[in-house]
Amino acid sequence: MHDLQRVRSWVEAGKQVGKCFTFVRNGVTYRSSVAVQKWKDGYKLYVDEIEEEYIQSEAYEREQVIFKCSLSELEVLIKDTTSLTIEQLAPLKGQKLFNPAFD
């Protein structure tokens, strides 16, 4: 896990930070992605969740992009709506999890 200042500095530098992971809910395995990127005058949060058995059909149970004016708002939102904290996110190498130009 990274410290909060380090993650904030990555985001402020324009890097997309995120994490892909699996979790189990009610005996069902899900894959999820969470990512944050600075965008124009605020920040965007991307979250998706999909049951493993539906990955090929891309039938996401949840896929959303949320815009907030402050990174602090996103920190709370990540903690409240996912099983992660912002400190668990890291810069993404190669392909990004979402394109902030699209909602």
Side-chain angles (χ1 to χ4, degrees):
M1 189 177 311
H2 307 284
D3 67 29
L4 181 57
Q5 269 317 110
R6 189 169 197 183
V7 175
R8 282 177 165 258
S9 68
W10 288 329
V11 173
E12 292 301 332
K15 294 182 181 188
Q16 187 174 112
V17 296
K19 183 172 182 164
C20 296
F21 59 100
T22 60
F23 67 93
V24 177
R25 181 189 308 140
N26 299 324
V28 178
T29 302
Y30 289 83
R31 289 198 186 178
S32 184
S33 303
V34 175
V36 173
Q37 187 166 351
K38 188 173 186 176
W39 183 250
K40 297 187 179 181
D41 58 347
Y43 304 86
K44 286 193 174 183
L45 168 66
Y46 172 80
V47 179
D48 71 23
E49 291 179 0
I50 188 168
E51 283 187 43
E52 272 196 335
E53 78 175 78
Y54 298 119
I55 288 175
Q56 295 302 319
S57 64
E58 296 185 11
Y60 287 90
E61 216 169 274
R62 174 182 178 193
E63 185 175 32
Q64 63 188 138
V65 177
I66 302 165
F67 181 83
K68 293 289 183 184
C69 292
S70 78
L71 192 52
S72 297
E73 288 178 293
L74 283 186
E75 291 169 22
V76 172
L77 191 60
I78 291 167
K79 187 175 179 184
D80 289 348
T81 63
T82 73
S83 60
L84 299 179
T85 63
I86 196 164
E87 292 90 349
Q88 292 173 281
L89 306 182
L92 299 167
K93 296 179 182 178
Q95 188 171 352
K96 296 182 178 186
L97 294 177
F98 78 109
N99 183 340
F102 300 107
D103 286 339

